[in-house]
Amino acid sequence: AHAPSAEVFGLAAVVGLMAGAYLAKLMTAERGALRLTSVRYVVAGLCVFITGYAVFLVPTLVAFESAGRENRVGTAATVGVAIVYTGVLTGAASLFRPRWRRAAFGTAAGVLCALAFVITNTQARFWIDAYEKQRAIDERIAGDVERLPHEGLLVLDGVCLQSRGAWILTGARDLTGLLRLRRGRNDIRAAAISRPVLVDSDGVRVKAFDAVAFFPYGENLLVYNYRRRATYRLRNHADAQAYFASREFRAERECPTVFAWGLGGG
């Protein structure tokens, strides 16, 4: 509803019609067989789902989110979900009169496929937009911050790190890699601000997810403000206090949290 696309909805309708027509031909119309098949599929699907996650119980990687690492951990379990859906739809189709059972199953399965297509491709559009914004950030930093000192430290401020259901940059990891690739140097460290920054007497601490990146004061510590297109050197505690007191745009306060990730802030 918040990111409609005529192309996505149109293709989803085509996919739903084709999938529904194909799947309707695969099922039998006999009620007893349908109900037995429904029970078998639901039980088998639950077993696949549990088995798919069981391998990750020891390192405690089990989590449920619509994107991120967790949706790759749950790839095998997702097959189990699909099997359960098939069983439930088969059981629901058995409630209809014989001549309507194939049509009911095909329609329900087609709608399910169409909805999945819309969800997947809407999120894909978010990732495309996020990649374009990441490239714009990279190019602006490259143009405005011509040189980084030896063992340079860069803190990015003034930009939202999320594009609806996708990450533009994730804290310290992505920005550091981006700068190292662009500059051809491995001595660079960086982080992007998405949460309140802790300004200590010996340096600043930038939090991203559950990790904290520490940047000590000195000639090699720079803050790049994306909105101002200006670079600030934080040589000491006073410089840091002056800069963070003067910020008009604060990403940690003004950037929306994306519900689709199940994470707060970034």
Side-chain angles (χ1 to χ4, degrees), residues 9-83:
F9 287 136
L11 287 172
V14 173
V15 169
L17 287 171
M18 293 176 63
Y22 173 74
L23 293 172
K25 293 180 179 180
L26 298 181
M27 66 170 293
T28 178
E30 200 277 315
R31 175 172 290 177
L34 286 179
R35 291 183 174 177
L36 180 60
T37 301
S38 174
V39 172
R40 288 175 175 175
Y41 269 71
V42 170
V43 172
L46 290 174
C47 291
V48 173
F49 179 84
I50 294 171
T51 305
Y53 269 120
V55 69
F56 298 103
L57 289 176
V58 175
T60 62
L61 291 175
V62 175
F64 302 94
E65 293 177 6
S66 62
R69 179 193 69 191
E70 284 71 25
N71 70 344
R72 293 183 285 279
V73 169
T75 298
T78 302
V79 177
V81 174
I83 297 173

Side-chain angles (χ1 to χ4, degrees), residues 149-217:
H150 177 65
E151 296 186 350
L153 308 173
L154 182 73
V155 176
L156 173 64
D157 191 18
V159 61
C160 290
L161 302 186
Q162 295 171 312
S163 175
R164 293 179 284 190
W167 285 105
I168 299 170
L169 293 166
T170 56
R173 179 186 60 201
D174 286 355
L175 187 59
T176 295
L178 205 63
L179 291 175
R180 287 180 177 179
L181 286 171
R182 166 73 74 167
R183 312 278 172 147
R185 292 167 47 190
N186 291 324
D187 63 328
I188 298 172
R189 285 201 305 121
I193 295 175
S194 62
R195 295 186 179 182
V197 176
L198 184 60
V199 180
D200 287 338
S201 59
D202 55 345
V204 296
R205 288 173 167 81
V206 181
K207 185 175 183 180
F209 299 108
D210 296 325
V212 178
F214 173 69
F215 298 92
Y217 300 127

Side-chain angles (χ1 to χ4, degrees), residues 249-264:
F249 177 87
R250 302 188 180 187
E252 66 273 20
R253 180 185 63 194
E254 301 182 48
C255 293
T257 298
V258 178
F259 75 92
W261 285 78
L263 298 172

